[in-house]
């Protein structure tokens, strides 16, 4: 069934929430995701992270990529649900396998830390470029570090420099300094191995 159109009428968050809840409770996947966003943001309904997470799960289990990411993020951070690194990594993987850059970066972070996934520098070094090549700046910085230190991949200063410059061009201040100095400078101990997950709470995709 199609979602009700709210275009051309005054915005009414409460009415939108009612309609999305009704459609979501009838297994409409996009409505489930929109209802999760409403509950997460507290617009149109009282903020309720537990109920929001429940709707994310409903949509995620129907294959909604952004819902899979947001559910994984909540599971990883214990927002509205008991913290569960293993389940978080599983949902990150589902979205990452469909090409979601945020999930690829997050899953690489799980492989770096061993939280919910085997600690595996090689797998992390495989995932970081997938996100980096989609413009994820933090992943570009991590690619530079991986190739500079030979962490999970053969050491390659040329590739490290390319990702470092790419990150600098995309506004990464730390990478800008590294590019000015060149990658010959020692970056050991300055690697962003812990994934900082962005929020898709304002996303409508």
């Amino acid at each position: 069934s199609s979602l009700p159109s709210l275009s051309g009428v005054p915005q009414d968050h409460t009415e939108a929430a009612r309609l999305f809840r009704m459609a979501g409770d009838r297994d409409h996947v996009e409505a489930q995701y929109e209802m999760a966003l409403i509950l997460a943001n507290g617009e149109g309904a009282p903020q309720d992270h537990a109920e929001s997470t429940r709707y994310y799960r409903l949509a995620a289990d129907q294959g909604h990529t952004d819902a899979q990411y947001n559910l994984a993020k909540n599971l990883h951070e214990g927002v509205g649900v008991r913290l569960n690194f293993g389940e978080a990594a599983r949902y990150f993987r589902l979205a990452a396998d469909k090409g979601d850059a945020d999930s690829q970066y997050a899953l690489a972070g799980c492989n770096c830390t061993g939280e919910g996934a085997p600690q595996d520098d090689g797998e992390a070094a495989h995932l970081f470029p997938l996100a980096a090549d989609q413009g994820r700046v933090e992943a570009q910085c991590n690619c530079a570090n991986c190739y500079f230190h030979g962490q999970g991949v053969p050491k390659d200063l040329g590739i490290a420099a390319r990702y470092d410059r790419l990150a600098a061009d995309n506004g990464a201040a730390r990478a800008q300094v590294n590019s000015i100095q060149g990658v010959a400078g020692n970056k050991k101990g300055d690697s962003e191995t812990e994934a900082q997950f962005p929020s898709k709470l304002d996303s409508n995709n």
Side-chain angles (χ1 to χ4, degrees), residues 64-113:
H64 193 290
T65 304
D66 282 353
Q68 289 168 343
Y69 172 84
N70 278 348
L71 174 60
K73 182 174 182 289
N74 284 1
L75 285 162
H76 193 273
E77 297 174 358
V79 176
V81 67
R82 186 184 297 275
L83 187 146
N84 188 323
F85 289 143
E87 196 174 14
R90 183 171 71 84
Y91 279 102
F92 279 139
R93 170 66 70 184
L94 288 173
D97 286 347
K98 290 184 285 186
D100 182 69
D102 291 332
S103 297
Q104 290 164 345
Y105 176 67
L107 186 60
C110 293
N111 285 128
C112 284
T113 62

Side-chain angles (χ1 to χ4, degrees), residues 9 13 15 39 46-47 82 104 106 114 137 144 146 174:
V9 300
H13 292 298
E15 178 64 7
L39 290 162
Q47 189 174 54
R82 186 184 297 275
Q104 290 164 345
V137 177
C146 287
R174 182 173 63 80

